[in-house]
Amino acid sequence: MKDSMACFNQIGYIEEKRIDRFAVNIHFPCGVVTSDQLEFIAEVARQFGEGTVRITLKQGIEITGIPANELQAAHRELARGGLTIAPAGRYIDAIVSCCGAQNCCNGLMPTQPLADRILKKWQQVELPNRITIAIAGCPNACTAPLLADIGVIGVAMPEPRGMPRGHSPTERFECPEGAISYSNGEAVWKQDLCTYCGQCIDFCDLGGWKLAKKGFAVYLGGQLGRHPRLGTKAAEFLSEDETAALINRALDAYRQGANPGEKFADFIQKFGIEKLK
């Protein structure tokens, strides 16, 4: 029985607390799922499980309560529908992504192309331990990238043009971070307070701010769990190509240099981010 359970867990089935019951976690890159897929999953849940599903923290869908003797049949049915069971073992656990500049009003950078690019290269590559990657299209960071092994955030740097004289204070952009002040009709930018959210660039039509540059900021070594820590900024204002290259270097170094079972956050702290730049 233990051998059977080990085999089930290796495939990606999750043993539940109840005897002889398992859950199946279906992976959706960037959390994007079609209405047809939702209907198909509902039918599989009714046929092989208890008719219920659970939305996971990593943008997957988990079908619960599947008896052990129905797992293979459920697996075949999911494969017939083109659905992928989230891998077990030492692989990329998930790439959690917001909708980014494609759909979100706050989004500064497109997120899904980068996520697809990373998955295509690394999804089937075994690593020393599981890896979580989180991508956010803006500094609101709704996917919690600072707490992921690898976190990516879209950022935009403003460039002050100077506030045209004669405009009333109600027309001036009030920065929520206090990074902008006004003196004698001129805008003053405090870069150390700026989060690079880009809101001042989009504000009204006064022309007081323009885009200097934008791109991705990359953070390495964050983690949740019993000993959470924030990731360390490795670089910022990178293009998609530069971001993918940095992530590839980090994962290559981890795959080749970490001990089996060593967490990415522990390895990066020991290895040193400077070596990846």
Side-chain angles (χ1 to χ4, degrees):
M1 185 65 178
K2 285 185 177 180
D3 291 341
S4 297
M5 287 185 177
C7 181
F8 289 155
N9 291 333
Q10 186 176 12
I11 293 172
Y13 306 134
I14 303 165
E15 184 181 356
E16 295 184 350
K17 191 172 184 179
R18 295 172 298 170
I19 296 175
D20 198 40
R21 289 292 186 273
F22 289 80
V24 174
N25 185 4
I26 304 166
H27 175 68
F28 294 99
C30 304
V32 177
V33 53
T34 68
S35 56
D36 288 341
Q37 288 173 325
L38 287 173
E39 291 173 358
F40 188 85
I41 290 168
E43 183 56 37
V44 172
R46 284 190 290 266
Q47 183 176 353
F48 299 101
E50 301 169 317
T52 59
V53 300
R54 190 177 73 88
I55 307 301
T56 72
L57 294 175
K58 295 177 180 176
Q59 297 179 333
I61 294 179
E62 199 171 273
I63 301 175
T64 60
I66 302 176
N69 61 1
E70 294 280 13
L71 280 173
Q72 290 185 350
H75 194 157
R76 287 194 297 268
E77 186 66 8
L78 289 170
R80 186 180 70 83
L83 299 175
T84 303
I85 295 177
R90 297 170 177 177
Y91 298 91
I92 289 182
D93 189 20
I95 295 184
V96 182
S97 170
C98 70
C99 58
Q102 301 96 307
N103 296 100
C104 180
C105 294
N106 294 317
L108 298 172
M109 296 291 290
T111 55
Q112 294 180 23
L114 176 61
D116 291 341
R117 189 169 176 173
I118 298 168
L119 274 176
K120 184 177 181 180
K121 181 175 177 63
W122 290 99
Q123 190 171 26
Q124 302 300 322
V125 178
E126 189 169 7
L127 299 166
N129 209 328
R130 294 175 76 85
I131 286 280
T132 296
I133 299 174
I135 305 175
C138 77
N140 287 343
C142 60
T143 56
L146 291 180
L147 292 172
D149 293 295
I150 298 174
V152 180
I153 300 175
V155 289
M157 178 183 285
E159 181 176 315
R161 291 173 172 164
M163 176 65 66
R165 295 183 183 278
H167 286 284
S168 66
T170 57
E171 292 176 303
R172 297 174 179 178
F173 177 75
E174 299 298 332
C175 175
E177 306 299 329
I180 296 174
S181 60
Y182 300 94
S183 177
N184 298 322
E186 297 291 328
V188 179
W189 178 47
K190 301 174 184 176
Q191 186 173 359
D192 59 322
L193 297 179
C194 184
T195 61
Y196 305 124
C197 69
Q199 291 182 25
C200 57
I201 300 168
D202 296 332
F203 176 71
C204 74
D205 58 355
L206 294 179
W209 300 93
K210 63 180 180 179
L211 177 67
K213 57 182 176 179
K214 69 176 180 178
F216 289 112
V218 179
Y219 293 79
L220 301 176
Q223 68 176 26
L224 281 169
R226 297 182 181 183
H227 305 285
R229 71 178 74 163
L230 297 179
T232 301
K233 186 188 293 183
E236 60 186 353
F237 299 108
L238 301 182
S239 67
E240 182 184 308
D241 287 345
E242 292 169 332
T243 302
L246 175 55
I247 292 173
N248 288 340
R249 290 196 298 273
L251 290 176
D252 270 328
Y254 178 56
R255 180 172 59 88
Q256 296 174 18
N259 297 317
E262 185 175 10
K263 291 184 177 181
F264 181 82
D266 295 331
F267 170 77
I268 284 295
Q269 195 171 44
K270 175 183 68 178
F271 181 80
I273 288 177
E274 289 298 322
K275 296 179 183 178
L276 299 172
K277 295 182 179 180

